[in-house]
Amino acid sequence: MSTMAAHAPANGIADAPTPAAPTTTVAEKPSFSWLQPHPIFVIILVGPDEQPFGLQKDFLCHRSDHYRSHFAEKGADDTIENMVRLPDFTADVFGLAQNFLYTGVLLVDEARVPSYESLVSLWNLGHKLGIGGLCDKTLEAMTDCRRLTERIPATPLLIQVWRDTPEGSSIRLLLLSWAAEYMRSSDARAEFAKSLPQEVLSELVVTMSSFDMSPVAHPPAESPSIAPASTLPPRKNVHYLDDASDDDALNNIKKSRRPSGTPGVAVGSQDPTLGRKPSRTPLPKPQKRRSSAAYLESRNFTTAQKMEFCADLLNRMLSGPGFWTRLVGPFKEPVDPVEDGVPDYLDKVKRPMDLNTIKAKMDRRDYTHEDEFVADMRQIFDNCFTYWAKGDPMWAAGEKLQRTFEDKYSHMNKWIAKMGGDEGE
């Protein structure tokens, strides 16, 4: 294959167009038979590393609406070998598609179903290239994945699918139906609903309304559940991150506690002017003693107090509230170069670090000083910026988590003083 690629003409490489959906007007599907010779090849350079895959041109055009239209537009030529690029998919995902093209089988080993992330990417590949049957086979594999793992995709992946696939597409409908089942059966439905963007939640409500809402007489023994971010590798899928903060989450909780019939009115109030006490001239505010930022900075807090703050901050990062969940998702677990699709990760990152590893070290009391904890936290950010290029979603995710962490950590002295009852005395 590499020998053939070496003799391709310089102008033989073409970047295949990236339509939002498969081309609606396609060339007439040619007849195809393996009894005939097929000497012309297409070399598909897959992924940013341009892994070469070679397929017979006639066969590829027979199976793919996209490439059939692509080569029909180029017209007939005498090129023995053609090259196209497919940068938005990994070699592993295209390998699954290639296996399906030649064999009609998606999974080589039924006991090893690919991750939901790989299957979502495979569905997008089948949809983009117009490969008949691939999307349906992918959905069957996703159903197998659910049966084997007893989980449905994590919230970030569900949101990514909603944003990256056409309205009414089969994969979106499937995942919305799974999410609707979860909403009906899970005790954590309120937290799940808060994790979804409003537009996704609205479509989910519509999906739920189409279900028969009567109780299930015989529920399954083990109901599938949403996979938490720590159990799946959503590290490359960070589109779900937003700018929510602790205050935003608290305000949302407060709003949800208002009576439904009186929006915007606090519990026990019906008119803001009723029951109001006559205004009085306020008393002079007492002068706070030694509560300034300068005073806090000058305090010599103990290492034990500082480590208590670090442990509390780490626990909040890993257990909520919701905005922390969205921020830390890609950084909770160690990077798995194979499963996460980054085979060269450990070649570039010499000291891997993740939040659960930091938590284990904290629980074992491996940290004797807050600087050791902070060094490991900053190692996560350094690794992110070392491996990912600026502009990549993962770079943005690391930058956002770094900014939030450094802001929270800068308030350590204030937190210690407040917990110790010093502030305001």
Side-chain angles (χ1 to χ4, degrees):
M1 186 184 305
S2 58
T3 303
M4 298 172 67
H7 295 287
N11 60 359
I13 301 180
D15 289 323
T18 308
T23 309
T24 54
T25 303
V26 298
E28 182 179 352
K29 189 172 184 179
S31 60
F32 181 86
S33 171
W34 283 116
L35 298 175
Q36 303 298 322
H38 304 283
I40 300 178
F41 273 73
V42 176
I43 305 300
I44 302 178
L45 304 176
V46 179
D49 295 334
E50 298 193 341
Q51 292 291 319
F53 285 78
L55 292 86
Q56 286 92 345
K57 179 182 174 183
D58 291 350
F59 176 66
L60 182 62
C61 291
H62 176 71
R63 297 301 305 273
S64 168
D65 293 343
H66 170 77
Y67 283 117
R68 185 159 65 251
S69 296
H70 171 71
F71 287 110
E73 291 173 3
K74 288 184 62 177
D77 58 40
D78 296 329
T79 305
I80 298 299
E81 203 168 74
N82 300 266
M83 286 192 180
V84 294
R85 291 187 175 92
L86 200 61
D88 298 331
F89 300 92
T90 66
D92 289 343
V93 168
F94 190 83
L96 292 172
Q98 177 177 249
N99 188 70
F100 173 78
L101 285 172
Y102 280 107
T103 67
V105 176
L106 186 60
L107 304 179
V108 178
D109 184 354
E110 296 291 341
R112 297 186 61 187
V113 178
S115 67
Y116 278 125
E117 284 77 9
S118 295
L119 292 173
V120 167
S121 182
L122 184 62
W123 189 95
N124 284 327
L125 176 66
H127 180 70
K128 173 182 175 178
L129 301 187
I131 299 175
L134 180 54
C135 289
D136 291 340
K137 278 287 187 180
T138 301
L139 297 186
E140 292 178 10
M142 292 180 70
T143 302
D144 288 339
C145 187
R146 177 181 179 179
R147 174 178 53 81
L148 293 172
T149 64
E150 298 182 351
R151 295 181 182 274
I152 67 175
T155 305
L157 187 58
L158 188 152
I159 296 171
Q160 179 198 345
V161 169
W162 190 91
R163 290 180 174 173
D164 293 349
T165 61
E167 182 177 357
S169 60
S170 58
I171 191 171
R172 187 193 286 197
L173 294 176
L174 176 68
L175 294 194
L176 282 172
S177 68
W178 287 357
E181 291 176 25
Y182 178 77
M183 285 284 285
R184 293 176 61 187
S185 61
S186 173
D187 293 335
R189 62 177 67 88
E191 186 64 27
F192 175 54
K194 289 177 185 177
S195 70
L196 298 174
Q198 185 58 46
E199 60 270 20
V200 180
L201 186 59
S202 298
E203 190 165 341
L204 179 57
V205 170
V206 172
T207 302
M208 293 179 66
S209 67
S210 65
F211 284 7
D212 176 12
M213 300 304 289
S214 59
V216 179
H218 301 286
E222 296 182 355
S223 299
S225 62
I226 289 283
S230 62
T231 63
L232 289 173
R235 282 174 270 268
K236 300 177 286 302
N237 305 320
V238 296
H239 308 289
Y240 62 95
L241 296 173
D242 57 29
D243 296 320
S245 65
D246 280 316
D247 294 335
D248 295 333
L250 182 60
N251 289 335
N252 289 336
I253 294 173
K254 289 178 178 178
K255 291 176 183 177
S256 67
R257 292 175 179 169
R258 293 172 176 163
S260 58
T262 55
V265 181
V267 174
S269 300
Q270 299 197 2
D271 190 318
T273 62
L274 294 178
R276 180 183 295 170
K277 293 182 179 180
S279 61
R280 296 184 300 173
T281 303
L283 294 174
K285 294 182 178 179
Q287 296 296 319
K288 292 184 178 180
R289 180 164 54 90
R290 302 198 306 169
S291 60
S292 65
Y295 163 71
L296 292 175
E297 289 298 327
S298 67
R299 287 290 305 274
N300 291 321
F301 296 111
T302 67
T303 298
Q305 287 175 309
K306 293 178 181 179
M307 290 307 302
E308 182 183 0
F309 166 81
C310 294
D312 178 81
L313 177 57
L314 181 61
N315 285 334
R316 283 189 287 136
M317 293 173 68
L318 287 170
S319 61
F323 97 101
W324 273 123
T325 301
R326 292 187 289 272
L327 281 177
V328 307
F331 307 100
K332 290 180 72 172
E333 299 289 342
V335 172
D336 186 318
V338 175
E339 187 174 356
D340 293 345
V342 286
D344 59 340
Y345 186 83
L346 296 180
D347 295 333
K348 298 179 180 180
V349 173
K350 302 306 180 184
R351 186 172 180 266
M353 187 56 60
D354 63 275
L355 290 170
N356 278 341
T357 296
I358 294 176
K359 180 67 166 63
K361 294 177 69 173
M362 181 70 75
D363 292 344
R364 293 194 305 265
R365 300 183 182 277
D366 289 353
Y367 297 121
T368 59
H369 193 276
E370 71 274 9
D371 288 347
E372 297 171 354
F373 162 75
V374 175
D376 276 354
M377 281 298 306
R378 290 172 178 163
Q379 186 69 50
I380 293 177
F381 311 135
D382 290 344
N383 293 346
C384 178
F385 303 144
T386 296
Y387 187 81
W388 301 99
K390 189 169 185 178
D392 188 277
M394 273 300 296
W395 173 288
E399 196 171 42
K400 189 173 292 186
L401 178 59
Q402 180 188 44
R403 184 169 59 247
T404 306
F405 168 77
E406 296 292 355
D407 174 67
K408 300 298 182 185
Y409 184 75
S410 69
H411 292 88
M412 176 172 63
N413 288 354
K414 183 177 179 181
W415 183 91
I416 297 174
K418 187 174 182 179
M419 292 298 100
D422 295 341
E423 190 175 34
E425 292 184 353

